[in-house]
Amino acid sequence: MQNTVKIVSPYDLSVIKELNLMDRNELEKSIQTAQHLFENQSLWIPAYKRMEILEKTASLMSDRVGELIHLALSEGGKPYQDSKAEVLRAIKGVKLAAEHISQIKGEQIPMALTESAQSRLAFTTKEPIGIVAAISAFNHPLNLAVHQIATAFAAGCPVMFKPALTTPMSGIALAEIFKDAGAPEGWIQVVLCERDLAEALVTDSRIHFFSFIGSAKVGWYLHSKLSPGTRSALEHGGAAPVIVEQDADFGEMIPDLVKGGFYHAGQVCVSVQRVYVHEGIIENFIKKFVTEANQLTVGDPADAATDVGPLILPKEVDRVAEWVNEAIVEGAQLLTGGKRISETLYQPTVLLNPSEKSKVSTNEIFGPVVCIYTYTDRDEAINRANALDVHFQAAVFTKNIDIAMDTVKKLNATAVMVNDHTAFRVDWMPFGGRDTSGIGMGGISYTINEMMREKMTVIKSKYL
């Protein structure tokens, strides 16, 4: 009897669809298919054809925007307006992948710099790295699939994509659209399986590149099990810090921070989590931030008026509630929220000065909770912001360029936003964590480059 998985609405827990899971024999056949495509260079898809297919994919996605929004919303629970933004981003991502193919190139290596290197011409070319095994997260089911599937296809790599079992339908739909756009059989395979088979896939010696988006615990574990020679890129989470100086513009800052903290119910790897506010403006900041947070509409993601939807699973609501209650017991002041609305919904919550040892201060919350801390000395606040082992994106709000640049320099982060929230991202910029938060760099063009390797040709001739 074949194992199945039920896809359930995060909002009302209704069953949307039941899908078959892959078994070990099916996985082996899929790996063999990918291996055959990569090892037989006569089957490689030429650059112009990959561009055509990606452009056609983007066009078909544009034709099916409504369907893709419905899929992402129903399986992921992200509110309608945000799901729509995700789908439009995903279409742009496919276009970016097509455009970057024309930028894939090597370089000439200078020779004759020594007597022994005379009469030679040397240059590098780029080749696809090989089979890509990609494991994705639930929170952006279509856009993350684009970042792993479209990039691998653009690089000329067969890709085996394992979506989160809570949100697989968007990735499956993307693979089908690629097929409709002309992608040859086997180049994009969706691997729907349990964790043990996912581990068997990524640790197989035939895999050349492992792309992972998800928790640090799982990512680093799988990374430790990779076969020798398998390259990897890991994108984990953080506990994004924000430094707010006394001269910050409240009119710009408050809406940005509320959006960055509660977007997709805080289920974003760079969601605003720890906000360090100068004590000189703390009362005004709290008043305005809490007022804005209280105006958010929590409810059905299908309703265009909804700002904050459900968490992905009821057990995540349990966890967030537990962490908030623990923080209050340990001394945090509850400014707003702190209550479960339903089995799947949790109020946007703001805590003041939780203990630096509370889970909400030391772990990625991945829920609709923002923590505010007061400070008097900016360097001390930066040290507190840097104290964790996760470092991804951060932010500073100030109108003083010297303070801004000094803070950018001192914050341990891969990206620091000045007068913007930590969750800002466009898909053509580099994006990734450092230290425990990951290795490698995402972003469409950056990922394509990581999925390729260089080959050097050296020609010796007396005529050179």
Side-chain angles (χ1 to χ4, degrees):
M1 183 176 177
Q2 188 163 24
N3 290 333
T4 62
V5 60
K6 290 181 179 179
I7 314 307
V8 175
S9 163
Y11 175 63
D12 61 14
L13 303 181
S14 61
V15 176
I16 302 170
K17 196 169 187 178
E18 189 167 0
L19 298 171
N20 292 328
L21 293 173
M22 184 177 282
D23 62 28
R24 195 168 292 272
N25 290 332
E26 291 170 318
L27 177 63
E28 174 59 27
K29 289 177 182 177
S30 293
I31 297 174
Q32 288 177 8
T33 296
Q35 183 184 30
H36 174 67
L37 290 173
F38 180 67
E39 290 185 346
N40 188 344
Q41 291 195 18
S42 68
L43 299 175
W44 287 13
I45 309 170
Y48 81 90
K49 191 66 177 176
R50 298 200 305 275
M51 292 175 69
E52 288 178 1
I53 293 169
L54 284 161
E55 289 165 356
K56 180 65 172 176
T57 297
S59 177
L60 291 175
M61 291 173 72
S62 295
D63 294 341
R64 304 175 189 178
V65 163
E67 171 192 337
L68 293 172
I69 292 172
H70 174 72
L71 277 179
L73 184 154
S74 60
E75 68 176 350
K78 188 185 298 179
Y80 175 82
Q81 293 297 338
D82 295 328
S83 291
K84 180 179 179 180
E86 177 184 346
V87 172
L88 297 179
R89 272 185 65 191
I91 294 169
K92 177 63 174 176
V94 175
K95 292 178 180 178
L96 288 170
E99 292 166 2
H100 185 72
I101 292 175
S102 65
Q103 304 301 312
I104 297 172
K105 58 184 182 296
E107 62 179 354
Q108 183 177 341
I109 308 299
M111 293 287 113
L113 302 181
T114 63
E115 183 177 356
S116 62
Q118 292 187 98
S119 302
R120 288 170 175 84
L121 172 67
F123 57 90
T124 62
T125 52
K126 294 285 187 72
E127 296 181 342
I129 191 171
I131 303 172
V132 172
I135 293 182
S136 199
F138 74 84
N139 53 340
H140 309 290
L142 181 64
N143 200 48
L144 295 183
V146 164
H147 276 260
Q148 294 175 303
I149 292 174
T151 50
F153 188 83
C157 298
V159 57
M160 304 182 69
F161 175 74
K162 191 247 175 239
L165 291 185
T166 47
T167 57
M169 296 190 301
S170 294
I172 293 171
L174 178 65
E176 287 297 319
I177 291 174
F178 262 95
K179 184 177 180 180
D180 292 344
E185 194 71 32
W187 283 90
I188 298 168
Q189 299 184 79
V190 177
V191 178
L192 207 58
C193 66
E194 298 282 6
R195 181 171 292 186
D196 60 335
L197 283 192
E199 180 176 342
L201 167 64
V202 303
T203 59
D204 192 283
S205 61
R206 292 164 290 185
I207 299 300
H208 300 88
F209 190 89
F210 171 44
S211 170
F212 179 83
I213 303 172
S215 73
K217 180 180 179 180
V218 176
W220 288 119
Y221 168 78
L222 291 173
H223 181 266
S224 73
K225 300 290 185 179
L226 295 179
S227 294
T230 301
R231 279 175 28 192
S232 65
L234 311 178
E235 183 186 306
H236 301 146
V242 180
I243 307 295
V244 178
E245 275 289 286
Q246 293 190 77
D247 64 344
D249 185 323
F250 276 72
E252 296 176 359
M253 172 179 61
I254 297 299
D256 279 349
L257 287 180
V258 169
K259 179 66 175 179
F262 299 112
Y263 162 66
H264 198 12
Q267 298 170 116
V268 180
C269 59
V270 286
S271 178
V272 170
Q273 179 171 327
R274 297 177 294 147
V275 185
Y276 297 87
V277 182
H278 193 282
E279 66 174 10
I281 59 170
I282 187 64
E283 289 187 13
N284 193 25
F285 182 92
I286 288 172
K287 179 181 177 181
K288 293 183 181 297
F289 189 86
V290 169
T291 297
E292 189 93 7
N294 286 340
Q295 291 175 356
L296 295 172
T297 300
V298 185
D300 186 351
D303 188 336
T306 296
D307 299 303
V308 180
L311 274 74
I312 190 64
L313 294 168
K315 70 176 183 179
E316 294 302 312
V317 185
D318 296 339
R319 177 187 58 79
V320 170
E322 180 184 319
W323 286 16
V324 169
N325 292 335
E326 175 188 273
I328 293 170
V329 169
E330 294 173 346
Q333 181 181 346
L334 178 65
L335 299 178
T336 190
K339 293 182 181 178
R340 188 179 200 138
I341 298 173
S342 70
E343 192 172 5
T344 61
L345 298 170
Y346 193 81
Q347 287 181 326
T349 297
V350 184
L351 298 173
L352 178 63
N353 286 324
S355 165
E356 300 283 358
K357 295 182 180 180
S358 293
K359 289 187 179 71
V360 295
S361 297
T362 59
N363 294 273
E364 181 179 31
I365 297 174
F366 230 61
V369 180
V370 173
C371 300
I372 299 171
Y373 309 81
T374 57
Y375 75 89
T376 54
D377 179 78
R378 181 167 49 86
D379 283 334
E380 179 259 340
I382 293 171
N383 288 337
R384 290 160 66 190
N386 289 341
L388 305 182
D389 60 359
V390 288
H391 305 110
F392 208 141
Q393 295 195 166
V396 56
F397 282 83
T398 179
K399 292 302 180 182
N400 185 314
I401 188 63
D402 292 333
I403 290 176
M405 296 314 296
D406 183 60
T407 305
V408 168
K409 181 179 179 181
K410 291 176 179 176
L411 280 170
N412 186 1
T414 51
V416 181
M417 309 303 158
V418 178
N419 297 320
D420 204 351
H421 62 73
T422 58
F424 172 78
R425 180 187 185 184
V426 291
D427 296 308
W428 53 91
M429 78 185 206
F431 182 82
R434 59 170 61 167
D435 303 322
T436 304
S437 289
I439 56 174
M441 198 55 65
I444 296 295
S445 61
Y446 297 89
T447 299
I448 293 171
N449 290 336
E450 289 210 344
M451 291 177 175
M452 305 199 78
R453 52 187 174 187
E454 286 190 327
K455 177 179 285 184
M456 188 167 72
T457 302
V458 182
I459 301 171
K460 182 181 179 182
S461 171
K462 63 182 179 181
Y463 297 105
L464 292 172

